[in-house]
Amino acid sequence: MTATPSFRFRRLRRTQVLRDLTRQTYLSANDFILPLFIEEQITSAVAIESMPGVNRIPEGELAKRVQQVWSNGVKAIILFGVSHNKDDSGSDSWDEHGLLARCIKIAKAAVPEMLVISDNCFCEYTDHGHCGVISENDVDNDATLENLQKQVISCARAGVDMIAPSGMMDGMIASIRQALDTAGFSHIPVMSYSSKFASAFYGPFREAVDSNFKGTRNTYQQDPANGREALAESMQDEAEGADILMVKPGLAYLDVIADIRAHSALPLAVYQVSGEYAMIKAAAAAGVIDEKAIVLETMIAFKRAGCDLIITYYAEDLVQWISRDY
Ligand code: PBG
């Protein structure tokens, strides 16, 4: 007896044109944001061993690097300072002459059209490496919010285009919005790291920013086991006035992306973090995967899950790779 399928999905897979016509998800150069690590007091770039192809850039070379990124077709960058002026509160991060403010000014002067985003946190500027002020062996939420208000005003005065707080303090979006609006920066959008997990995938980043940090961030970042809480965190940030929401890390959290997409009309970003990048690089170097195909498929998965924006160390490669097929 001949078995006859009740429906034939393969009818629309027969030719490339049919497949293109029925394709649901695309990548574009407009999707990507490139993270840059900028270190003060160094004179030449330092390779980050666990992230092949990614360097810590000397402050003195930032302008040239921003021009290069722009000419490579990437239109948005997010800046991370690697500080040599650390203290217990991370005060360099809100100093108008501090590293973060200087980097913003350098980047905007180099390419005024470049969308310059600041990663707004304290871990790169504190001597203990935590994402805020410590009291009684834990990060003090509300004391950190006050410093965060100072930090974002300093960034706005330096000319930043978008604020991106990553410290996972409760109430951070409302505090930032109030500070920006009061200081005359009501036009500056806030992209919240709204659902950020306490993840082992950040391992190589710790090397990248030379963090002295030992321990965990489990009292402020989310438990990877909690999907409903991740949705609640992002919904809270939307209610506080976030303009863009974010899930971080990416590939292990596609369910969280889809859940937030189903509950919010805001643009949604994903951060493909250092460990995700390092794993692909290591597998490619071992000759066991096709790097380009794996990266493109991963990016498509982020967009299919519901993301609009992708923060990735592959941003420059991606704009070269994407063709009409992606
Ligand atoms: C800290 C911060 C982290 C990353 C960006 N900002 C890591 C952490 O929480 O320790 C991770 C970036 C990456 O791994 O690529 N606020």
Side-chain angles (χ1 to χ4, degrees), residues 60-81:
E61 287 178 16
L62 177 59
K64 202 175 69 193
R65 182 76 180 105
V66 173
Q67 283 159 358
Q68 183 184 48
V69 171
W70 182 262
S71 67
N72 285 340
V74 174
K75 302 174 198 172
I77 53 177
I78 181 162
L79 305 180
F80 293 88

Side-chain angles (χ1 to χ4, degrees), residues 21 86 96 103 124 130 134 155 161 165 176 221 240 250 269 283-284 293 296 298:
L21 277 171
K86 302 187 187 208
E96 63 173 314
C103 288
E124 298 108 60
H130 272 289
I134 302 288
C155 290
D161 294 305
I176 288 170
Q221 297 179 347
E240 291 181 23
L296 288 170
T298 306

Side-chain angles (χ1 to χ4, degrees), residues 49-312:
E49 263 171 50
S50 54
M51 301 172 70
V54 181
N55 294 326
R56 288 193 242 152
I57 310 158
E59 185 183 349
E61 287 178 16
L62 177 59
K64 202 175 69 193
R65 182 76 180 105
V66 173
Q67 283 159 358
Q68 183 184 48
V69 171
W70 182 262
S71 67
N72 285 340
V74 174
K75 302 174 198 172
I77 53 177
I78 181 162
L79 305 180
F80 293 88
V82 180
S83 175
H84 287 221
N85 286 296
K86 302 187 187 208
D87 61 20
D88 60 356
S89 61
S91 64
D92 189 70
S93 70
W94 68 80
D95 186 328
E96 63 173 314
H97 304 296
L99 178 61
L100 186 56
R102 297 199 305 272
C103 288
I104 293 164
K105 286 180 199 153
I106 292 167
K108 285 308 292 182
V111 182
E113 307 93 317
M114 179 71 87
L115 188 94
V116 175
I117 307 167
S118 51
D119 177 86
N120 291 104
C121 196
F122 296 95
C123 52
E124 298 108 60
Y125 306 92
T126 51
D127 47 21
H128 46 72
H130 272 289
C131 302
V133 183
I134 302 288
S135 66
E136 290 167 25
N137 291 320
D138 199 1
V139 174
D140 182 328
N141 194 89
D142 301 8
T144 300
L145 290 181
E146 278 179 39
N147 293 341
L148 189 57
Q149 289 184 314
K150 293 187 256 183
Q151 188 189 107
V152 300
I153 290 173
S154 161
C155 290
R157 288 193 178 131
V160 84
D161 294 305
M162 184 149 68
I163 294 290
S166 61
M168 289 298 286
M169 295 301 120
D170 287 324
M172 66 182 185
I173 302 305
S175 304
I176 288 170
R177 194 65 271 160
Q178 186 200 28
L180 290 174
D181 292 357
T182 309
F185 299 105
S186 59
H187 58 288
I188 303 275
V190 178
M191 174 167 71
S192 179
Y193 286 69
S194 52
S195 297
K196 177 174 175 180
F197 292 89
S199 171
F201 285 99
Y202 306 145
F205 173 87
R206 306 263 163 97
E207 181 196 337
V209 300
D210 210 12
S211 172
N212 302 329
F213 180 67
K214 302 197 181 26
T216 76
R217 306 197 196 285
N218 295 346
T219 67
Y220 41 105
Q221 297 179 347
Q222 287 178 55
D223 183 342
N226 294 355
R228 290 194 305 268
E229 184 187 347
L231 176 63
E233 278 267 11
S234 278
M235 293 298 92
Q236 176 64 26
D237 284 4
E238 174 165 355
E240 291 181 23
D243 300 281
I244 301 176
L245 302 174
M246 192 199 301
V247 174
K248 179 185 176 181
L251 203 55
Y253 297 89
L254 293 180
D255 58 324
V256 175
I257 293 170
D259 203 13
I260 296 171
R261 177 74 295 148
H263 288 87
S264 175
L266 292 182
L268 180 57
V270 61
Y271 198 138
Q272 183 194 43
V273 302
S274 56
E276 299 178 75
Y277 176 88
M279 282 165 57
I280 296 173
K281 281 286 178 191
V288 294
I289 57 160
D290 175 340
E291 181 181 19
K292 175 178 165 184
I294 291 277
V295 172
L296 288 170
E297 189 174 328
T298 306
M299 296 297 143
I300 280 290
F302 291 147
K303 296 208 68 182
R304 192 195 62 238
C307 280
D308 307 292
L309 310 172
I310 302 169
I311 303 170
T312 172

